[in-house]
Amino acid sequence: MYSRRSLLLAGAAPAVLPSRAARRGYSWAEIERMIARGEVKGKLTRDDLPTPALLLDLDAFERNIARMAEHASKCGRRLRPHAKTHKCPEIARALMRAGAVGACTAKISEAEVLAEHGISGLLVTSAPVGRHRIERALRLARKAPDTVFCVDDAGNARQLSEAARQGRLTLNLAIELLVGQRSGIACGRPALELAQLIESLPNVRLAGLQAYSGPSSHVVGFEARRKHSIEAMTPAVETRRLIEKSGIECGWLSGGSTGTYNIDSEIDGVSELQPGSYIFMDIDYNIIGGRDGELYRDFENSLTVLATVYSKPSRDVAIVDAGLKSFATDRKVGPAPKDLPGVPYMWMGDEHGKLELARAPREVKLGDRIEFLVPHCDPTVNLYDELYCLRGDNVEAVWRIAARGRNQ
Amino acid sequence: MYSRRSLLLAGAAPAVLPSRAARRGYSWAEIERMIARGEVKGKLTRDDLPTPALLLDLDAFERNIARMAEHASKCGRRLRPHAKTHKCPEIARALMRAGAVGACTAKISEAEVLAEHGISGLLVTSAPVGRHRIERALRLARKAPDTVFCVDDAGNARQLSEAARQGRLTLNLAIELLVGQRSGIACGRPALELAQLIESLPNVRLAGLQAYSGPSSHVVGFEARRKHSIEAMTPAVETRRLIEKSGIECGWLSGGSTGTYNIDSEIDGVSELQPGSYIFMDIDYNIIGGRDGELYRDFENSLTVLATVYSKPSRDVAIVDAGLKSFATDRKVGPAPKDLPGVPYMWMGDEHGKLELARAPREVKLGDRIEFLVPHCDPTVNLYDELYCLRGDNVEAVWRIAARGRNQ
């Protein structure tokens, strides 16, 4: 079902041709300095980058952002993209310039980094459980007062209220509904009771409902995915009505993933979308199938990893310098070399990957640079400190993945 | 075959009991400051740490170090443990205090970090291929002249020689032999010819031979592993003899992993061991079987990840805050909760893991802290910036994983 060739119809940049910069020939010492200072525009090209390197194709990235923004706007849905995908303040800003109302974050530490960089409209999609996380939530709310924190437990809501009362501020809470198979409170009566409790407590207010159905996002086949997501989200929108019928205001219901953005946006009551991966895409999303075909192509693969062949033990084998410390390994699919259709990549340990070249469309030599589509974008990004932003072959910017590793 | 209960015979610290520090009750702001400054000893305990946190049991770690050092010394083998496991200058120093002759690193960038921290005796186990990596190799050799670089290609050796000649220094090279299934030059004649070439080139000298058989390391069952490793390493020691017979001095042959340290040390001609994982251990090594039983227990599991239950969607389910951004996911086994035998962990996305509590030996509540054995240590460590070093429940030190992400 997964046709690598068709994935790559758009063609790939000829990454191994010598570039202008390679001809100019910067030394490594010069390149290192430019990267550290971020002074790369008009100087560095793809060939200058140390590998493994995480690359962003800015043209594709910008088209992805515009496409989702247009969809949300057309459907009258707010867009709060999930920052756990990119962990990068520059990207959060780019999304807000395109109309996003803020950013979701998975954890408080991730939100802290974005707030430090001036991002507003934060929604922390996990609950601040425990004394220290509550203290962090208060500190963050003081810095970024429109931040919303998810809760799914009455005791936790009471503790947050009490802490906010002592801290003399008001916390915005969202109730996380159990629509996936992990965290959240059951839809219906239990969620209503939690809403009523929040309504009754001092120094907390109910901002909205969080309903992310992870299992729906990767259901293969558009119609099957549609059915799955509607089944998962229906109890959530019913819960919203139940709460509102009880007289409690409930500003929004946030849901949707890259896989279900155009499904959930048609569900009455889902007022906000929170997809993440669409800005980058990955093989695991490509293969879930789109509305119109076997490959999901609503968004383009803008994220790649650049590697170097650093051993050629035999004519038909190339060993690259990117292994399981350079790609996420949680999916069944592995990385795919972008301009070598039909060439399989095999994991060969932490720092090695093997390319079987028997069916390679061209010769691959020691020192060649190979660009790979990534299996799963979020945890791949979490392995890197920098994102090299390319316009064609030219490096336009180096963006710090400032919340990399901030998973607390 | 994998009995989690027997893995844990040594028992686990009662991580959820309130500690002295919890009773003293530091605020998060205080804890954050102490961690940033590294002023934790006598102050913080396990319960104060933000989760997910990477923990090191210092007692077990020190016993592991001593045990391997004693083995190497008894067998008359030098020990150069692989730093790709820990990426931590403090640990490299601890290993050298216990008798290691230096540290292996997988990449030049990793070696650069260790050299900056004063670690000597570096062996970079991949080849410096390409103009920029060669420049980095020269710079590193200038800073740390006893550094050895692996090569497996004649053209690369010539380029290194030419660069060293221009740079007016001498580079120490080791020939990487293809004993695993990834990088290296074929044993026998091809390796001999490369040795002769290096011997003939200016400004490079042959320091030794690198022969790491990755596939041998995890063969299940001690006898099967022994057979596998001897078969893999025999051509390497024969190559060493061939080179020496030709009149070329070949200082050492380095090999061995945590799985084969006591196998390769009995092979005549293997003069140096380069295991990495034994300092931490992981489930994937536990289950390969030891000399005396179904579990490999030569070394203790000193490395764990501490997580917090941050959702309890039902009585029999606990959701922890550590998912696939907090554990390596490349092995078939997942994390195992240290003091909850029989409780399976299920991956639930980037930041979530699910514990099925039906057979749990005790109640697990919202906010409880759970310590997990890790599936695979090296790529797990590469996800964290700090290693919290514990003596019992007390945090003695915070070690920076300074080469985290340095995979270039």
Side-chain angles (χ1 to χ4, degrees):
Chain A
M1 194 214 61
Y2 164 36
S3 151
R4 198 176 284 122
R5 184 177 292 276
S6 53
L7 256 183
L8 301 166
L9 280 182
V16 296
L17 294 183
S19 69
R20 282 202 316 281
R23 287 199 298 273
R24 273 204 304 273
Y26 289 120
S27 71
W28 169 247
E30 289 171 317
I31 292 170
E32 196 175 35
R33 220 166 16 241
M34 290 177 201
I35 291 172
R37 294 180 184 163
E39 295 166 358
V40 295
K41 195 170 176 174
K43 295 174 180 167
L44 297 191
T45 75
R46 181 191 315 252
D47 293 342
D48 296 313
L49 299 175
T51 63
L54 192 67
L55 308 187
L56 182 66
D57 175 338
L58 282 174
D59 291 335
F61 168 74
E62 288 163 5
R63 284 192 294 267
N64 289 345
I65 288 185
R67 213 164 288 153
M68 183 65 86
E70 193 193 329
H71 172 80
S73 155
K74 205 179 286 177
C75 302
R77 261 63 179 179
R78 309 201 309 168
L79 185 60
R80 181 139 44 182
H82 215 305
K84 79 190 192 66
T85 298
H86 56 76
K87 290 175 167 279
C88 172
E90 296 285 351
I91 291 184
R93 268 196 286 271
L95 289 162
M96 291 188 75
R97 280 196 301 270
V101 300
C104 294
T105 76
K107 303 282 182 78
I108 284 197
S109 64
E110 210 168 70
E112 287 169 347
V113 173
L114 294 188
E116 278 162 30
H117 286 81
I119 307 300
S120 60
L122 297 169
L123 166 58
V124 183
T125 58
S126 60
V129 167
R131 193 164 62 86
H132 293 146
R133 276 205 171 108
I134 290 175
E135 183 185 335
R136 289 173 89 156
L138 260 70
R139 183 175 69 179
L140 179 56
R142 220 164 256 128
K143 188 183 185 81
D146 64 352
T147 303
V148 181
F149 300 92
C150 284
V151 290
D152 68 356
D153 177 79
N156 187 221
R158 283 198 189 88
Q159 289 166 354
L160 286 161
S161 162
E162 175 56 22
R165 195 187 59 75
Q166 288 180 22
R168 293 169 199 210
L169 52 77
T170 296
L171 287 177
N172 307 305
L173 303 184
I175 293 175
E176 185 185 9
L177 300 173
L178 183 60
V179 294
Q181 285 149 14
R182 52 189 200 197
S183 47
I185 192 166
C187 289
R189 191 99 228 132
L192 172 63
E193 286 171 9
L194 183 53
Q196 289 167 333
L197 173 68
I198 291 170
E199 191 70 2
S200 75
L201 291 170
N203 297 78
V204 287
R205 59 173 283 273
L206 184 64
L209 299 177
Q210 158 75 7
Y212 176 70
S213 173
S216 304
S217 65
H218 282 76
V219 172
V220 172
F222 184 80
E223 279 311 318
R225 193 157 65 247
R226 188 166 179 274
K227 187 164 171 290
H228 193 288
S229 196
I230 289 173
E231 269 170 27
M233 296 299 283
T234 298
V237 294
E238 285 171 358
T239 300
R240 179 178 182 176
R241 275 180 224 122
L242 190 67
I243 292 172
E244 289 175 335
K245 227 177 95 184
S246 83
I248 298 173
E249 202 185 325
C250 179
W252 42 260
L253 189 156
S254 186
S257 61
T258 294
T260 63
Y261 78 102
N262 55 350
I263 295 164
D264 294 358
S265 60
E266 291 179 10
I267 301 174
D268 200 33
V270 176
S271 49
E272 186 176 302
L273 300 173
Q274 53 174 274
S277 305
Y278 74 98
I279 59 171
F280 296 145
M281 287 299 290
D282 54 33
I283 299 173
D284 210 45
Y285 258 128
N286 291 139
I287 61 180
I288 64 169
R291 205 162 201 160
D292 310 311
E294 94 176 356
L295 284 178
Y296 177 105
R297 309 227 46 172
D298 296 14
F299 303 94
E300 300 169 53
N301 293 74
S302 66
L303 189 80
T304 52
V305 166
L306 184 67
T308 300
V309 175
Y310 70 165
S311 183
K312 275 277 298 176
S314 66
R315 201 177 57 94
D316 282 350
V317 171
I319 302 294
V320 295
D321 58 0
L324 50 91
K325 284 178 184 165
S326 301
F327 296 107
T329 60
D330 60 300
R331 302 293 160 133
K332 279 181 194 140
V333 292
K338 210 175 150 185
D339 67 342
L340 291 171
V343 172
Y345 170 99
M346 293 166 63
W347 303 108
M348 293 303 286
D350 292 4
E351 294 91 358
H352 297 76
K354 182 191 276 195
L355 295 178
E356 301 273 11
L357 301 173
R359 295 190 300 152
R362 62 169 170 85
E363 200 193 351
V364 173
K365 299 186 305 297
L366 193 70
D368 277 3
R369 296 176 149 234
I370 315 272
E371 216 175 311
F372 290 88
L373 298 178
V374 305
H376 184 190
C377 55
D378 302 21
T380 297
V381 172
N382 188 50
L383 297 168
Y384 292 85
D385 291 293
E386 293 99 12
L387 185 57
Y388 296 103
C389 305
L390 273 77
R391 192 78 70 185
D393 280 338
N394 298 311
V395 184
E396 277 221 347
V398 184
W399 288 346
R400 306 291 157 195
I401 304 169
R404 195 261 338 130
R406 298 292 291 251
N407 300 316
Q408 291 72 37
Chain B
M1 194 215 61
Y2 164 36
S3 151
R4 198 176 285 121
R5 184 177 292 276
S6 53
L7 257 182
L8 301 166
L9 279 182
V16 296
L17 293 183
S19 68
R20 281 202 317 281
R23 287 198 299 273
R24 274 203 304 272
Y26 289 120
S27 71
W28 169 247
E30 289 171 317
I31 292 169
E32 197 175 34
R33 219 164 20 239
M34 291 177 202
I35 291 172
R37 294 179 183 164
E39 295 166 358
V40 295
K41 194 170 176 174
K43 294 173 181 167
L44 297 191
T45 75
R46 180 190 315 251
D47 293 342
D48 296 313
L49 299 175
T51 63
L54 192 67
L55 308 187
L56 182 66
D57 175 337
L58 283 174
D59 290 335
F61 168 75
E62 288 163 4
R63 284 192 293 268
N64 289 345
I65 288 185
R67 213 164 288 152
M68 183 65 85
E70 194 193 329
H71 171 80
S73 154
K74 205 179 285 176
C75 302
R77 261 63 179 178
R78 309 200 309 169
L79 185 60
R80 180 139 44 183
H82 215 305
K84 79 190 192 67
T85 298
H86 56 76
K87 290 175 167 279
C88 173
E90 296 285 352
I91 291 183
R93 268 196 286 271
L95 288 162
M96 291 188 75
R97 279 196 302 270
V101 299
C104 294
T105 75
K107 303 281 182 80
I108 284 196
S109 64
E110 209 169 70
E112 287 168 348
V113 173
L114 294 188
E116 278 161 30
H117 287 81
I119 307 300
S120 60
L122 297 169
L123 166 59
V124 183
T125 58
S126 60
V129 167
R131 193 164 62 87
H132 293 146
R133 276 205 172 108
I134 290 175
E135 183 185 335
R136 290 173 89 156
L138 259 69
R139 184 175 68 178
L140 179 55
R142 220 163 256 129
K143 188 183 185 81
D146 64 352
T147 303
V148 181
F149 300 92
C150 284
V151 290
D152 68 356
D153 177 80
N156 187 221
R158 283 199 190 89
Q159 290 166 353
L160 285 162
S161 162
E162 175 56 22
R165 196 187 58 76
Q166 287 179 22
R168 292 167 201 213
L169 51 77
T170 296
L171 287 177
N172 307 305
L173 303 184
I175 293 175
E176 185 184 10
L177 299 173
L178 183 60
V179 294
Q181 285 149 14
R182 53 188 199 198
S183 47
I185 192 166
C187 289
R189 189 102 226 130
L192 172 63
E193 286 170 8
L194 183 53
Q196 288 167 333
L197 173 68
I198 291 169
E199 191 70 1
S200 75
L201 290 170
N203 298 78
V204 287
R205 59 173 284 273
L206 183 64
L209 299 177
Q210 158 75 7
Y212 176 71
S213 173
S216 304
S217 65
H218 282 76
V219 172
V220 172
F222 184 80
E223 279 311 319
R225 192 156 67 247
R226 189 166 178 274
K227 187 165 171 290
H228 194 288
S229 195
I230 288 174
E231 269 170 27
M233 296 299 284
T234 298
V237 294
E238 285 171 358
T239 301
R240 179 179 182 176
R241 275 180 226 122
L242 190 67
I243 292 172
E244 289 175 335
K245 227 177 95 183
S246 82
I248 298 174
E249 202 185 326
C250 178
W252 42 260
L253 189 157
S254 186
S257 61
T258 294
T260 62
Y261 78 102
N262 55 351
I263 295 164
D264 294 357
S265 60
E266 291 179 10
I267 301 174
D268 200 33
V270 176
S271 49
E272 185 177 301
L273 300 173
Q274 52 174 275
S277 304
Y278 73 98
I279 59 171
F280 295 145
M281 287 299 290
D282 54 33
I283 298 173
D284 210 45
Y285 258 127
N286 291 139
I287 61 180
I288 64 170
R291 205 162 201 160
D292 310 311
E294 93 175 358
L295 285 177
Y296 177 105
R297 308 227 46 171
D298 295 14
F299 303 94
E300 301 169 54
N301 293 75
S302 66
L303 189 79
T304 52
V305 166
L306 185 67
T308 299
V309 175
Y310 70 165
S311 183
K312 276 276 298 177
S314 65
R315 202 177 57 93
D316 282 350
V317 171
I319 302 294
V320 295
D321 57 0
L324 50 91
K325 284 178 183 164
S326 301
F327 296 106
T329 60
D330 60 299
R331 302 292 160 133
K332 279 181 195 139
V333 293
K338 209 175 150 184
D339 66 343
L340 291 171
V343 171
Y345 170 99
M346 292 166 62
W347 303 108
M348 294 303 286
D350 292 4
E351 293 91 358
H352 297 76
K354 183 191 275 194
L355 295 178
E356 301 273 11
L357 301 173
R359 296 189 300 152
R362 62 169 170 84
E363 201 193 350
V364 174
K365 298 187 304 298
L366 193 70
D368 277 3
R369 296 176 149 235
I370 315 273
E371 216 175 311
F372 291 88
L373 298 178
V374 305
H376 184 190
C377 55
D378 301 22
T380 297
V381 171
N382 187 49
L383 297 168
Y384 292 85
D385 291 294
E386 293 99 12
L387 185 57
Y388 296 103
C389 304
L390 273 77
R391 193 77 71 185
D393 281 338
N394 297 312
V395 184
E396 277 221 347
V398 184
W399 287 347
R400 306 291 156 194
I401 303 169
R404 195 261 337 131
R406 299 291 291 251
N407 300 315
Q408 291 72 38

